[in-house]
Coordinates of all heavy atoms in Angstrom, one line a residue:
Chain A
Y74 N -12.2 -3.7 -21.5 CA -11.9 -3.0 -20.2 C -12.6 -3.5 -19.1 O -13.5 -4.4 -19.2 CB -12.2 -1.5 -20.4 CG -13.8 -1.2 -20.4 CD1 -14.5 -0.9 -19.3 CD2 -14.5 -1.2 -21.6 CE1 -15.8 -0.7 -19.3 CE2 -15.8 -0.9 -21.8 CZ -16.5 -0.7 -20.5 OH -17.8 -0.4 -20.6
S75 N -12.2 -3.1 -17.9 CA -12.7 -3.6 -16.7 C -13.1 -2.4 -15.7 O -12.5 -1.4 -15.8 CB -11.9 -4.5 -15.9 OG -12.3 -4.9 -14.6
T76 N -14.1 -2.7 -15.0 CA -14.5 -1.7 -13.9 C -14.5 -2.3 -12.6 O -14.8 -3.5 -12.4 CB -15.9 -1.0 -14.2 OG1 -16.9 -2.1 -14.2 CG2 -15.9 -0.2 -15.5
L77 N -14.2 -1.5 -11.6 CA -14.3 -1.9 -10.2 C -15.1 -0.9 -9.4 O -14.7 0.2 -9.3 CB -12.8 -2.1 -9.5 CG -12.8 -2.5 -8.1 CD1 -13.3 -4.0 -7.9 CD2 -11.2 -2.4 -7.6
K78 N -16.3 -1.4 -8.9 CA -17.1 -0.5 -8.3 C -17.1 -0.7 -6.7 O -17.1 -1.9 -6.3 CB -18.6 -0.7 -8.7 CG -19.6 0.3 -8.1 CD -21.0 -0.1 -8.4 CE -21.3 0.3 -9.9 NZ -22.8 0.1 -10.0
V79 N -17.0 0.4 -5.9 CA -17.1 0.2 -4.5 C -18.4 0.9 -4.0 O -18.5 2.1 -4.4 CB -15.8 0.9 -3.9 CG1 -15.8 0.6 -2.4 CG2 -14.6 0.3 -4.5
Q80 N -19.2 0.2 -3.4 CA -20.6 0.7 -3.1 C -21.1 0.0 -2.0 O -21.3 -1.2 -1.9 CB -21.5 0.6 -4.2 CG -22.9 1.1 -4.0 CD -23.8 0.8 -5.2 OE1 -23.7 -0.1 -5.9 NE2 -24.8 1.8 -5.2
P81 N -21.3 0.7 -0.7 CA -20.8 2.0 -0.5 C -19.4 2.1 0.1 O -19.0 1.1 0.7 CB -21.8 2.5 0.7 CG -22.1 1.2 1.4 CD -22.0 0.1 0.4
A82 N -18.7 3.1 -0.2 CA -17.4 3.2 0.2 C -17.2 3.4 1.7 O -18.0 4.2 2.3 CB -16.6 4.3 -0.6
E83 N -16.2 2.9 2.3 CA -15.8 3.0 3.7 C -14.5 3.5 3.8 O -13.7 3.5 2.8 CB -15.9 1.6 4.4 CG -17.3 1.0 4.3 CD -18.3 1.7 5.3 OE1 -17.8 2.5 6.1 OE2 -19.5 1.4 5.1
L84 N -14.1 4.0 4.9 CA -12.9 4.8 5.2 C -11.7 3.8 4.8 O -10.7 4.3 4.2 CB -12.7 5.2 6.5 CG -13.8 6.3 7.1 CD1 -13.5 6.6 8.5 CD2 -13.7 7.5 6.2
E85 N -11.9 2.5 5.2 CA -10.7 1.5 5.1 C -10.4 1.1 3.6 O -9.5 0.4 3.3 CB -11.0 0.2 5.9 CG -12.3 -0.6 5.4 CD -13.4 -0.3 6.3 OE1 -13.5 0.9 6.8 OE2 -14.3 -1.1 6.3
D86 N -11.4 1.7 2.6 CA -11.2 1.4 1.3 C -10.2 2.3 0.6 O -9.7 2.1 -0.6 CB -12.6 1.6 0.4 CG -13.6 0.6 1.1 OD1 -13.2 -0.5 1.5 OD2 -14.7 0.9 0.9
S87 N -9.8 3.4 1.3 CA -8.8 4.2 0.9 C -7.5 3.5 0.4 O -7.0 2.6 1.2 CB -8.4 5.3 1.9 OG -9.6 6.1 2.1
G88 N -6.8 3.9 -0.5 CA -5.6 3.2 -1.1 C -5.4 3.5 -2.5 O -6.1 4.3 -3.2
V89 N -4.4 2.8 -3.1 CA -4.1 2.9 -4.5 C -4.5 1.6 -5.1 O -4.2 0.5 -4.7 CB -2.6 3.1 -4.8 CG1 -2.4 3.2 -6.3 CG2 -2.1 4.4 -4.2
Y90 N -5.4 1.6 -6.2 CA -5.8 0.5 -6.9 C -5.1 0.4 -8.1 O -5.2 1.2 -9.0 CB -7.4 0.6 -7.1 CG -8.2 0.5 -5.8 CD1 -8.1 1.6 -4.9 CD2 -8.8 -0.7 -5.5 CE1 -8.9 1.4 -3.7 CE2 -9.5 -0.9 -4.3 CZ -9.5 0.2 -3.4 OH -10.3 0.1 -2.2
F91 N -4.4 -0.7 -8.3 CA -3.7 -1.0 -9.5 C -4.3 -2.1 -10.4 O -5.0 -3.0 -9.9 CB -2.3 -1.6 -9.1 CG -1.3 -0.6 -8.5 CD1 -1.2 -0.7 -7.1 CD2 -0.7 0.3 -9.2 CE1 -0.4 0.2 -6.5 CE2 0.2 1.2 -8.6 CZ 0.3 1.2 -7.2
C92 N -4.3 -1.9 -11.6 CA -4.7 -2.8 -12.7 C -3.5 -3.3 -13.4 O -2.5 -2.6 -13.6 CB -5.7 -2.2 -13.7 SG -6.3 -3.3 -14.9
A93 N -3.5 -4.6 -13.9 CA -2.4 -5.2 -14.6 C -3.1 -6.0 -15.6 O -4.1 -6.6 -15.5 CB -1.4 -6.0 -13.7
S94 N -2.2 -6.3 -16.8 CA -2.8 -7.3 -17.8 C -1.6 -8.1 -18.3 O -0.4 -7.7 -18.1 CB -3.4 -6.5 -18.9 OG -2.5 -5.8 -19.7
S95 N -1.9 -9.3 -18.8 CA -0.9 -10.1 -19.4 C -1.6 -11.0 -20.5 O -2.7 -11.2 -20.6 CB -0.2 -11.1 -18.3 OG -1.2 -12.0 -17.9
Q96 N -0.7 -11.5 -21.3 CA -1.2 -12.4 -22.4 C -1.4 -13.8 -21.8 O -1.2 -14.0 -20.6 CB 0.0 -12.5 -23.4 CG 0.2 -11.2 -24.1 CD 1.3 -11.3 -25.2 OE1 2.3 -12.0 -24.9 NE2 1.1 -10.7 -26.3
V97 N -1.8 -14.7 -22.6 CA -2.2 -16.0 -22.2 C -1.1 -17.0 -22.6 O -0.6 -16.9 -23.7 CB -3.5 -16.4 -22.8 CG1 -3.9 -17.9 -22.5 CG2 -4.6 -15.6 -22.4
L98 N -0.7 -17.9 -21.7 CA 0.2 -18.9 -22.1 C -0.3 -20.2 -21.6 O -1.4 -20.3 -21.0 CB 1.6 -18.7 -21.3 CG 2.8 -18.0 -22.0 CD1 4.0 -18.1 -21.1 CD2 3.0 -18.6 -23.4
G99 N 0.4 -21.3 -21.8 CA -0.1 -22.6 -21.5 C -0.1 -22.8 -20.0 O 0.5 -22.0 -19.3
T100 N -0.6 -23.9 -19.5 CA -0.7 -24.1 -18.1 C 0.7 -24.2 -17.5 O 1.6 -24.9 -18.0 CB -1.4 -25.5 -17.8 OG1 -2.7 -25.4 -18.4 CG2 -1.5 -25.8 -16.4
G101 N 0.9 -23.5 -16.4 CA 2.2 -23.6 -15.7 C 3.1 -22.5 -16.2 O 4.2 -22.2 -15.6
G102 N 2.8 -21.8 -17.3 CA 3.7 -20.8 -17.8 C 3.4 -19.5 -17.1 O 2.5 -19.4 -16.3
Y103 N 4.3 -18.6 -17.3 CA 4.1 -17.3 -16.6 C 4.1 -16.2 -17.7 O 4.9 -16.2 -18.6 CB 5.2 -17.0 -15.6 CG 5.0 -15.7 -15.1 CD1 4.0 -15.3 -14.2 CD2 5.7 -14.6 -15.7 CE1 3.7 -14.1 -13.8 CE2 5.4 -13.3 -15.3 CZ 4.5 -13.0 -14.3 OH 4.2 -11.8 -13.9
N104 N 3.2 -15.3 -17.5 CA 3.1 -14.2 -18.3 C 3.5 -12.9 -17.5 O 3.0 -12.8 -16.4 CB 1.8 -13.9 -18.9 CG 1.3 -15.1 -19.7 OD1 1.7 -15.2 -20.8 ND2 0.4 -15.9 -19.2
E105 N 4.3 -12.1 -18.1 CA 4.7 -10.8 -17.4 C 3.4 -9.9 -17.3 O 2.7 -9.8 -18.2 CB 5.7 -10.1 -18.2 CG 6.1 -8.8 -17.6 CD 7.1 -8.0 -18.4 OE1 7.8 -8.7 -19.2 OE2 7.3 -6.8 -18.2
Q106 N 3.1 -9.5 -16.1 CA 2.1 -8.6 -15.8 C 2.5 -7.1 -16.0 O 3.5 -6.7 -15.4 CB 1.5 -8.8 -14.4 CG 0.9 -10.2 -14.2 CD 0.2 -10.4 -13.0 OE1 -0.2 -9.4 -12.3 NE2 0.1 -11.6 -12.5
F107 N 1.8 -6.4 -16.9 CA 2.1 -5.0 -17.1 C 1.1 -4.2 -16.2 O -0.1 -4.4 -16.4 CB 2.0 -4.7 -18.5 CG 3.0 -5.4 -19.4 CD1 2.7 -6.7 -19.8 CD2 4.1 -4.7 -19.8 CE1 3.7 -7.3 -20.6 CE2 5.0 -5.4 -20.6 CZ 4.9 -6.7 -21.0
F108 N 1.6 -3.3 -15.5 CA 0.8 -2.5 -14.5 C 0.4 -1.1 -15.0 O 1.3 -0.6 -15.7 CB 1.5 -2.4 -13.2 CG 1.4 -3.6 -12.3 CD1 2.3 -4.7 -12.6 CD2 0.4 -3.7 -11.2 CE1 2.1 -5.9 -11.8 CE2 0.4 -4.8 -10.5 CZ 1.2 -5.9 -10.7
G109 N -0.7 -0.7 -14.7 CA -1.1 0.7 -14.9 C -0.7 1.6 -13.8 O -0.1 1.0 -12.8
P110 N -0.8 2.9 -13.8 CA -0.2 3.8 -12.9 C -1.0 3.9 -11.6 O -0.6 4.4 -10.6 CB -0.3 5.1 -13.6 CG -1.5 5.0 -14.6 CD -1.4 3.5 -15.0
G111 N -2.2 3.2 -11.6 CA -3.0 3.2 -10.4 C -4.0 4.2 -10.2 O -3.8 5.3 -10.9
T112 N -5.0 4.0 -9.4 CA -6.0 5.1 -9.0 C -5.9 5.3 -7.6 O -6.1 4.3 -6.8 CB -7.4 4.7 -9.4 OG1 -7.6 4.6 -10.9 CG2 -8.4 5.6 -8.8
R113 N -5.6 6.5 -7.1 CA -5.5 6.7 -5.7 C -6.9 7.1 -5.2 O -7.5 8.1 -5.7 CB -4.6 7.9 -5.4 CG -4.4 8.1 -3.9 CD -3.3 9.2 -3.7 NE -2.0 8.7 -4.1 CZ -1.2 7.9 -3.3 NH1 -1.6 7.5 -2.2 NH2 -0.1 7.5 -3.8
L114 N -7.5 6.3 -4.4 CA -8.8 6.6 -3.8 C -8.7 7.1 -2.4 O -8.0 6.4 -1.5 CB -9.7 5.3 -3.9 CG -11.1 5.3 -3.2 CD1 -11.9 6.3 -3.9 CD2 -11.7 4.0 -3.2

Side-chain angles (χ1 to χ4, degrees):
Chain A
Y74 71 91
S75 174
T76 58
L77 180 65
K78 181 191 286 189
V79 185
Q80 180 182 30
E83 298 289 345
L84 299 179
E85 65 265 24
D86 300 333
S87 296
V89 181
Y90 290 76
F91 292 101
C92 176
S94 71
S95 71
Q96 293 179 320
V97 177
L98 264 188
T100 303
Y103 174 77
N104 297 288
E105 177 180 341
Q106 294 186 26
F107 295 84
F108 281 77
T112 294
R113 182 174 296 278
L114 174 64

